[in-house]
Amino acid sequence: MQPTDRMTVIKKFTRDALKNGGLSYIWIGSNFYVVSVDAADLEVILKKCLEKDNIVRFVRKVIGNGLIFATVPIWRPRRKISAPTFSQANLNMFAKAFAEQSESMVKQVKSTFGDGAKPLWKYMATFTFHSVCETALGVKLKVNGNTEKQLMESFDILLKLLMTRMAEPWLQLDALYKLLPQHNNFEKNKEIFRSFVSEIIKEKRKKIKENIKTDNDNTKVTKSFLELYIESSGGDRGCTDEELLEETLVMLFAGTDTSAVGLCFTIVLLAQYPDVQEKVFQELQEVFGDSERQVVVEDLPRLKYLEAVLRESLRLYPPVPLIVREINEDTKLPSGVTLKKGCGFMALIWGLHRNPLYWGEDAEKFRPERFLEGHSRHPAAFLTFSHGPRNCLGYQYSMISLKIALATFLRTYRVLPRHDNSGSGEVDQEPMKLSYDIMMKDVDGFRRTRWGSVISVCILRACSADDGAARAARGREAADEYISASAAARSPRNEV
Ligand code: HEM
């Protein structure tokens, strides 16, 4: 089954479950799964059944017993060690790294602004990958360097191979899989990833032993997740190198593409809804005015509309559209159905977020205001980051990093929808074509937007409002720059 067909199946199950009072079911090979899009039922299961379904055993081949897919007896003590490393104080410390990485991303984007549709994915995935490497491993990767390229490529290959194995029952037999070329490909890419992280751990251990302070130790970002985890586990003798490797791989696995997907969908939606983008822009103007200063963590509570936009985008396009759990005891759901011990359970987040019972008759509509209206909603109605004791540990990390990235990007660029292929300059009305490989993505690499300088867009406002010759001159200068960049971008040589 192709990744795009998997999304078709997810949409079909959403329709079936919505028609059927919130529940449906599916067989994958000989495994039976109950599918739910109902918040009340989902809340019970996500609080009570903490064991991941056995289908995730293939992911363990990459990240071993790392938190996200570990069995409950291994998961419980590790979560106790990991949770304090995501404290608000530590996350605030990471804000500077997110802001610097966002500025670097914006610079990369600048070289391509103009008329053609842009490969948004490339920039956003690089941003999240670099951010996690810096905050989790304490390593600053070189932009466009070989290590970055190789790691990101390997990651992509691993996700695809894992998803195919989980979805195709005939690939699940180890003895058979070992005979296939996919196996070698899998092992090769797994090794690239694991040896990169192992080397960093070795270095870090050495530095801790020798008590050597690195540049990183002296900056405000100070401690990486790796160091925090070593401390939280009881110091140098607290956890093994293998455990450290597994937990660090989880950060890379759980924290990079998920966030990049969230960023891409948000930007594509902003291009489709210029009125929403304008409101975001107004809010950014209120907070930052004309200043070009870096976004700091204290700005974030003031960016309320931007946060609503982000949440609405993560509702309609949850990067992880479903999660699976195992029913470990007979469980009666609020809907009245009793699930039998041993069956699988699929929390269909994509469907829940379209359930009119919780999101109203306009559930399919992109309307960020719903997050500002202050209605009390069911606590498990928004499940992008899951719910209960095993929810996403990176929830707040992610919200901080995405808000900083979006604020930095949208203070600099205005995003527009791409043109269709007819050459008429009409906006492309084709809906996004989605694929599902553990995460949900646009098959086109989110090549759906164009972007131009925000300042050039401001020129009319600046001149008509007559609020200062300097601002108007700056606007004209930027507009000239934008126009020449657009012309350059139209020449085939610079088309991206
Ligand atoms: C938009 C971005 C993100 C989304 C949509 C997301 C979503 C999720 C989901 C759906 C789960 C599974 C929960 C379950 O099975 O019930 C999860 C688990 C997890 N996530 Fe995230 N995540 C994001 C970002 C991050 C980041 C940035 C990090 C770390 C830097 C992270 C770390 C984790 C960890 C450690 C777990 C395992 C928690 C456990 O099993 O105890 N996530 N995430």
Side-chain angles (χ1 to χ4, degrees), residues 46 52 67-69 75 79 82 86 132 135-136 247 250-252 254-256 258-260 262 314 318-320 322-325 349 383-387 389-395 397-398 401-402:
L46 293 176
K52 301 276 163 121
L67 201 59
I68 191 162
F69 294 121
W75 164 79
R79 173 105 183 183
S82 261
F86 285 88
V132 174
T135 56
E247 293 311 331
V250 165
M251 296 293 118
L252 288 167
T256 52
T258 45
S259 299
L314 291 169
V320 183
L322 65 90
I323 48 186
V324 280
R325 293 284 173 89
I349 302 171
L383 281 193
T384 297
F385 297 95
S386 190
H387 187 75
R390 226 176 159 168
N391 73 342
C392 172
L393 257 185
Y395 187 172
Y397 173 110
S398 201
S401 103
L402 297 193

Side-chain angles (χ1 to χ4, degrees), residues 33 36 50 73 84 91 100 116 132 158 176 210 242 246 248 263 287 311 315 319 351 384 390 401 430 446 458 483:
Y33 294 89
S36 171
L50 304 183
L91 297 182
E100 283 173 6
V132 174
L158 283 173
L176 175 66
E210 295 167 2
E242 183 60 22
E246 290 173 349
T248 317
L263 274 176
V287 174
R311 284 185 187 278
R315 176 185 74 86
T384 297
R390 226 176 159 168
S401 103
E430 272 289 299
F446 295 92
C458 285
I483 290 159

Side-chain angles (χ1 to χ4, degrees), residues 150-177:
Q150 193 177 43
L151 286 169
M152 287 175 71
E153 262 174 39
S154 292
F155 188 57
D156 207 39
I157 294 169
L158 283 173
L159 281 187
K160 287 197 167 83
L161 288 171
L162 282 170
M163 186 65 226
T164 312
R165 225 180 150 190
M166 288 196 280
E168 306 289 348
W170 69 277
L171 290 175
Q172 292 176 5
L173 281 172
D174 275 344
L176 175 66
Y177 196 69

